[in-house]
Amino acid sequence: MGRSDQYPSVLQTVPGPGDFRGPRMVPGILPLEVRRVSLDMGSRRLLDDLNFTVKSGSFTIILGPNGAGKSLTLRLCHGLLRPTVGEVLWRGIAAREVPKHQTMVFQRPMMLRRSVTANIEYGLRLQGMGRRQRRERIAEVLKLAGLEALAGRAARSLSIGEQQRVAIARAWALRPQVLFLDEPAANLDPSATRAIEGVLRAVHNSGTKIVMSTHDLPQAKRLADEILFLHRGRLLEQSSADTFFDNPVTTEAQAFVEGELLW
Amino acid sequence: MSDVESALLSAVRLVFTLDRDLAEIIGLSMRVSLSAVAVAALIGVPLGGALALLRFPGRKTVIVLLNAFMGLPPVVVGLAVYLMLSRLGPMGVFGLLYSPAAMIIAQSVLVTPIVAALSRQVFVDFWSEYEDQLRSLGAGRGRAILTLAWDARSSLVPPVLAGFGRATAEVGAVMIVGGNIDHVTRVMTTTIALETSKGNLAMAMGLGIVLVLLSLAVNASVFIASEAAAKSGR
Ligand SMILES: Nc1ncnc2c1ncn2[C@@H]1O[C@H](COP(=O)(O)OP(=O)(O)O)[C@@H](O)[C@H]1O
Ligand SMILES: [Mg+2]
C-alpha cells in the first residue's frame, strides 16, 4: 500500500481480507507477463518492446506523461488489443479475447442508460449469476463505493466522479482477481479524486490486484507500491515506488519525478 | 361558393362527423400500415443491429442494397409482391392477392429497408460508444445487440416512425396488390386517387386532410422522440 492512509471514512467500511475475493475454487490468474510486446498502428510504432511481469499483492501504477502509451498498455493487458509483436501471458498461457477474472475501468466511464443498480447488475447477469446473489452483491459494492444514496438514480445523470465510482463498483462486483484502471481520477476535483482513491484502497485491501495508470505524480506517490514508468511507448523503469521516487535511474524518470514537463 | 370550396366544406364535415365510410377506410389504412411497420421493425431493427455489430461475408453488399432499397418505387414493390402472390407465383396457393394481408406484405417489403438502414446507423453510433465496455464485461455480439437495442430505444423510434410515414403515404404498392376493392382493400391513398378521378372531391379532400394531419403527427412524434433520445444520451 502507498505511503499515507488518511482516508478513514471509506476504510472503515473495508471488509476483512477474503470477503471480497473471488471464490476460493478459482485458480489464480497471476502472474501477468508482457513479453517483447510491440504495437503498431498504421506505420507508427506506438508501443516498443515492452517487457514486464505483474505479480499479486502490490498496488501497481503505470506512470508516464500524456501520450506515453499507458492506455494502450492497459488495453493490451486487458485483452481488448492484440500486440503486433510479442505475447501477453496469464500464468504462462496466451490470452484469449478479454480473459476472465480480470476487469477494466476506462478513463471515460461508460454508463448504460439505466439506473446505477442496473449498471452494476448488467455485468453480474452476463456472468449468469442468480437474482438473489446479484442483489446481495450489488448491495455490497454500493456500500463499498459509497453509492447507496445514488442506487436508483439514472447513471448518466450523475457527475463524472460519481460515474467513475459506479464504473469501479460495476467492475469490482465481478470480484476480479485483477482490476485495471485507466486514469480513473483524471479531470476530477480533489474531493472526487479523494473519494475514488478511497474506493481503490478498499479494493486493494480486499485482495484484488490493481494495475492503474496515471500521469499524476502526487497520486502515484500516494498509492503506488510499484511503478512502471512509460515514456513514448517504451518502458523505461519498473521498480518499487520507494526506489523509483528516491532514485530514478533514467534521465526521463528523474525529470518526471522532479516535476519537469515531459512529453 | 366554388365547387372546390363546397367540396372542402363537406370534406371538413366528413372528417369531424366521422363519416362511416371514411372511418372504415382510415381504420383499414391504420391496420395495414401499423402491421407492416410492426413486421418491418421486428425484422429491420435486429437486421440493423446485426449489420452494425457482426462481421460476415456479404455484409457490405447487404448494406449497399438496403440503402438503395430505401428509395424503392412503391409500384415496383407492388409489382414484385403481385408476382409472388398471383396464382402462378410461388406464394399463389395462399390466395392472398387483393386482401389486406397482401397489402401488409407489400408495405413490409417497402418499409423494412428503411427501418433497417436507419436503425443500423443508430447501432453504429451506440456501438462506437459501448464497444470497449461491453467487450470488457464479456458480452457476446448477440447480447450486445440486445443491450444496444434497449439502451438506444428512444433513438430507434425515429427510424420506425419514418417507416410508418412512408407506409401510410404510398399508393402504388397497395393499389397493385390490394386492388382498391370497396370495403375490402380500400385505404386512404388509393381512395383519394379513385375519388379524385371520379370527381368526388369531398371524400378525396377529407381523406387528404386526415393524411396531412397524420403526417404532421408522425413528424411531431419523431421530433419529440429525438429530443427524448438526446436527453437520455446525456
Ligand atoms: N487508435 C490509435 N491510432 C493511432 N494512434 C493512436 C491510437 N491510439 C493511441 N494512439 C497514439 O498512441 C500514443 C499513446 O496513446 P495512449 O496509450 O492513449 O497514451 P496515454 O494513455 O499514455 O496518454 C499517442 O501518441 C496516441 O496518439
Ligand atoms: Mg490515456
Side-chain angles (χ1 to χ4, degrees):
Chain A
M1 201 62 206
R3 296 162 174 211
S4 48
D5 281 331
Q6 70 267 49
Y7 298 92
S9 64
V10 179
L11 278 177
Q12 275 161 9
T13 66
V14 169
D19 288 8
F20 280 83
R21 293 220 175 120
R24 295 285 77 184
M25 298 74 78
V26 176
I29 58 171
L30 286 169
L32 164 67
E33 289 168 77
V34 171
R35 277 206 202 144
R36 312 217 60 133
V37 161
S38 296
L39 182 74
D40 296 345
M41 282 189 186
S43 59
R44 273 184 72 199
R45 175 140 293 195
L46 300 179
L47 296 176
D48 189 15
D49 197 26
L50 298 187
N51 277 293
F52 59 88
T53 301
V54 171
K55 300 191 182 112
S56 62
S58 51
F59 195 122
T60 298
I61 288 217
I62 299 181
L63 185 63
N66 283 326
K70 304 181 295 294
S71 297
L72 292 173
T73 303
L74 286 172
R75 291 160 60 85
L76 269 164
C77 292
H78 182 47
L80 287 174
L81 279 177
R82 305 258 133 245
T84 312
V85 184
E87 49 189 0
V88 175
L89 302 175
W90 289 95
R91 232 182 162 200
I93 297 164
R96 306 174 284 111
E97 149 133 3
V98 190
K100 285 196 170 51
H101 309 302
Q102 50 100 27
T103 52
M104 179 157 168
V105 172
F106 297 90
Q107 183 162 357
R108 264 188 41 213
M110 201 293 287
M111 293 291 106
L112 297 164
R113 288 160 169 79
R114 307 164 190 212
S115 70
V116 168
T117 298
N119 263 275
I120 296 170
E121 189 165 23
Y122 182 82
L124 299 174
R125 265 176 203 273
L126 285 182
Q127 296 208 331
M129 185 183 285
R131 191 189 161 96
R132 266 222 2 239
Q133 217 188 338
R134 291 203 303 262
R135 284 262 173 81
E136 288 169 14
R137 190 68 67 84
I138 290 166
E140 273 172 26
V141 296
L142 284 175
K143 189 168 174 211
L144 267 152
L147 291 166
E148 286 150 308
L150 304 175
R153 289 269 299 275
R156 295 205 169 221
S157 70
L158 304 181
S159 71
I160 296 298
E162 289 162 342
Q163 289 189 19
Q164 196 58 274
R165 273 188 287 150
V166 175
I168 294 171
R170 180 172 62 193
W172 194 20
L174 304 173
R175 296 198 173 168
Q177 295 178 28
V178 182
L179 178 61
F180 296 104
L181 298 116
D182 193 2
E183 306 214 31
N187 311 319
L188 296 187
D189 65 21
S191 81
T193 301
R194 194 174 236 276
I196 298 268
E197 289 182 6
V199 176
L200 294 182
R201 286 162 196 280
V203 173
H204 173 77
N205 289 345
S206 77
T208 295
K209 166 76 188 185
I210 291 185
V211 180
M212 173 183 136
S213 74
T214 185
H215 68 266
D216 179 359
L217 189 65
Q219 182 175 54
K221 284 187 173 166
R222 287 194 296 272
L223 294 172
D225 296 322
E226 180 192 40
I227 297 282
L228 295 171
F229 181 67
L230 275 185
H231 184 244
R232 297 193 187 177
R234 292 155 54 96
L235 179 66
L236 297 187
E237 306 203 13
Q238 175 173 22
S239 52
S240 76
D242 293 335
T243 309
F244 180 82
F245 293 119
D246 297 340
N247 297 304
V249 180
T250 57
T251 51
E252 288 88 348
Q254 279 162 17
F256 193 82
V257 168
E258 273 152 30
E260 286 169 34
L261 283 178
L262 266 187
W263 67 91
Chain B
M1 204 155 62
S2 76
D3 283 357
V4 174
E5 277 168 358
S6 70
L8 186 57
L9 258 183
S10 27
V12 170
R13 200 177 307 123
L14 279 178
V15 171
F16 286 97
T17 58
L18 262 182
D19 176 77
R20 279 260 308 282
D21 285 352
L22 185 105
E24 186 188 337
I25 291 165
I26 295 172
L28 182 65
S29 275
M30 290 294 114
R31 211 181 101 209
V32 167
S33 294
L34 285 174
S35 307
V37 166
V39 172
L42 282 175
I43 299 171
V45 170
L47 180 59
L51 289 170
L53 267 69
L54 306 181
R55 296 289 172 268
F56 52 86
R59 175 177 154 273
K60 289 207 171 126
T61 316
V62 176
I63 293 171
V64 170
L65 283 178
L66 272 187
N67 281 305
F69 285 0
M70 279 178 79
L72 274 183
V75 281
V76 173
V77 172
L79 176 60
V81 173
Y82 177 90
L83 293 174
M84 296 284 290
L85 299 181
S86 70
R87 212 169 289 159
L88 297 175
M91 291 167 68
V93 285
F94 299 113
L96 290 177
L97 207 54
Y98 305 129
S99 73
M103 297 156 78
I104 292 171
I105 294 172
Q107 288 198 343
S108 304
V109 172
L110 188 71
V111 164
T112 299
I114 295 173
V115 177
L118 295 180
S119 52
R120 186 188 77 88
Q121 196 52 53
V122 172
F123 278 102
V124 166
D125 293 344
F126 272 72
W127 186 231
S128 69
E129 187 193 340
Y130 280 48
E131 176 176 3
D132 281 347
Q133 184 66 65
L134 294 191
R135 279 177 61 203
S136 171
L137 288 171
R141 291 299 159 101
R143 184 57 175 251
I145 291 174
L146 287 179
T147 303
L148 293 191
W150 176 253
D151 272 43
R153 58 197 180 276
S154 43
S155 303
L156 287 169
V157 170
V160 173
L161 284 174
F164 181 68
R166 173 116 162 119
T168 49
E170 70 89 18
V171 203
V174 281
M175 182 76 97
I176 293 178
V177 304
N180 202 22
I181 303 167
D182 206 6
H183 300 301
V184 182
T185 58
R186 200 162 278 188
V187 291
M188 289 194 273
T189 53
T190 57
T191 310
I192 290 175
L194 180 72
E195 300 298 337
T196 305
S197 66
K198 286 196 326 200
N200 182 0
L201 291 184
M203 188 64 163
M205 284 164 90
L207 287 167
I209 291 169
V210 174
L211 260 182
V212 169
L213 290 179
L214 190 68
S215 160
L216 281 174
V218 167
N219 282 294
S221 310
V222 169
F223 181 74
I224 291 165
S226 316
E227 295 268 285
K231 226 167 149 191
S232 80
R234 265 181 321 200

